[in-house]
Amino acid sequence: KNEVEQSPQNLTAQEGEFITINCSYSVGISALHWLQQHPGGGIVSLFMLSSGKKKHGRLIATINIQEKHSSLHITASHPRDSAVYICAVRLRNTGNQFYFGTGTSLTVIP
Amino acid sequence: DVKVTQSSRYLVKRTGEKVFLECVQDMDHENMFWYRQDPGLGLRLIYFSYDVKMKEKGDIPEGYSVSREKKERFSLILESASTNQTSMYLCASSSASGTGIRDTQYFGPGTRLTVL
């Protein structure tokens, strides 16, 4: 059983659409990260959340600690947003370890 | 600008060969990690290190070993490569446990290893 579940696994959207990717986790966490992986493998960190909501450009990330759920939203999607988006949680009391979802592959069509 | 580098982007080896994957970070981070990434399975932790000469097993350490002789360098070793170790290998580093941006793991570009 994976501690971190993401949905959907694959997502295709038209340019300009509003996109939501969901992440649910089953354990106590100290922080949740959203990562972006472009073709070729490079991974960058988009957000780190421990509560509430963060916004960066067209990206918005929210977390509900009580419901153990986080969402990543992309407004006015663009083909350059096409990537794999990965949710990762840092477990409470483990200090250094992260657990990862399997990723959501997003394709934005012009 | 933060930087994590890996010695090779693509590597092809034969079954039974000894394989070294090198990772170097220039951020003076205490923690370093080795993951493998396979379709449908996401990122899985192989080993991590929280200090020089210290190492801890992750979720899938079998068939792998690691070395951390210097703070900036973390090596992953496949003692006798097998075909089921064909995968994308990603190295990451982070500062010691804390809050805020220091919590973030910074990833290298990955090494795609094929074992024939």
Side-chain angles (χ1 to χ4, degrees):
Chain A
K1 181 185 176 292
N2 198 1
E3 290 86 354
V4 184
E5 301 280 350
Q6 279 186 243
S7 63
Q9 274 193 305
N10 297 285
L11 184 56
T12 301
Q14 289 291 136
E15 184 173 356
E17 281 187 28
F18 181 85
I19 288 162
T20 297
I21 299 170
N22 296 299
C23 175
S24 297
Y25 52 92
S26 57
V27 293
I29 69 168
S30 61
L32 182 144
H33 294 247
W34 281 102
L35 310 170
Q36 181 191 55
Q37 184 175 29
H38 278 286
I43 293 178
V44 296
S45 180
L46 298 173
F47 293 103
M48 189 209 75
L49 295 162
S50 52
S51 64
K53 176 180 174 178
K54 286 190 176 177
K55 185 175 188 293
H56 182 71
R58 294 180 294 105
L59 301 177
I60 303 165
T62 63
I63 188 167
N64 184 318
I65 297 294
Q66 287 73 30
E67 294 185 5
K68 292 188 165 62
H69 181 268
S70 175
S71 293
L72 176 69
H73 305 286
I74 305 175
T75 61
S77 59
H78 190 276
R80 65 174 174 265
D81 297 327
S82 299
V84 175
Y85 292 84
I86 301 169
C87 173
V89 300
R90 183 164 176 261
L91 300 190
R92 200 182 297 143
N93 301 323
T94 62
N96 300 311
Q97 279 192 268
F98 285 75
Y99 287 87
F100 296 82
T102 55
T104 296
S105 179
L106 171 66
T107 303
V108 181
I109 299 169
Chain B
D1 200 17
V2 298
K3 202 166 183 184
V4 179
T5 56
Q6 293 181 228
S7 49
S8 306
R9 291 302 303 273
Y10 299 94
L11 207 53
V12 180
K13 295 291 182 180
R14 296 211 172 270
T15 301
E17 280 193 74
K18 191 168 186 175
V19 182
F20 292 88
L21 302 182
E22 300 281 337
C23 175
V24 178
Q25 50 93 5
D26 65 359
M27 296 163 282
D28 200 35
H29 282 166
E30 293 82 5
N31 306 324
M32 296 188 75
F33 308 81
W34 273 108
Y35 298 94
R36 64 177 283 177
Q37 185 181 32
D38 301 288
L41 296 176
L43 283 152
R44 292 180 292 166
L45 181 65
I46 304 171
Y47 267 98
F48 68 99
S49 167
Y50 52 87
D51 202 352
V52 175
K53 297 192 188 295
M54 305 299 285
K55 60 185 179 185
E56 293 282 344
K57 292 181 180 179
D59 298 320
I60 50 164
E62 296 77 21
Y64 303 94
S65 62
V66 290
S67 172
R68 189 144 181 226
E69 295 297 317
K70 293 184 178 181
K71 191 176 186 180
E72 67 270 19
R73 188 179 298 270
F74 192 35
S75 302
L76 180 70
I77 303 153
L78 287 67
E79 294 290 342
S80 177
S82 62
T83 55
N84 63 12
Q85 292 178 309
T86 292
S87 186
M88 169 72 90
Y89 290 88
L90 286 148
C91 173
S93 72
S94 71
S95 184
S97 178
T99 59
I101 195 65
R102 295 191 305 148
D103 218 16
T104 300
Q105 288 201 356
Y106 296 88
F107 285 86
T111 296
R112 190 167 291 282
L113 172 67
T114 302
V115 183
L116 302 175

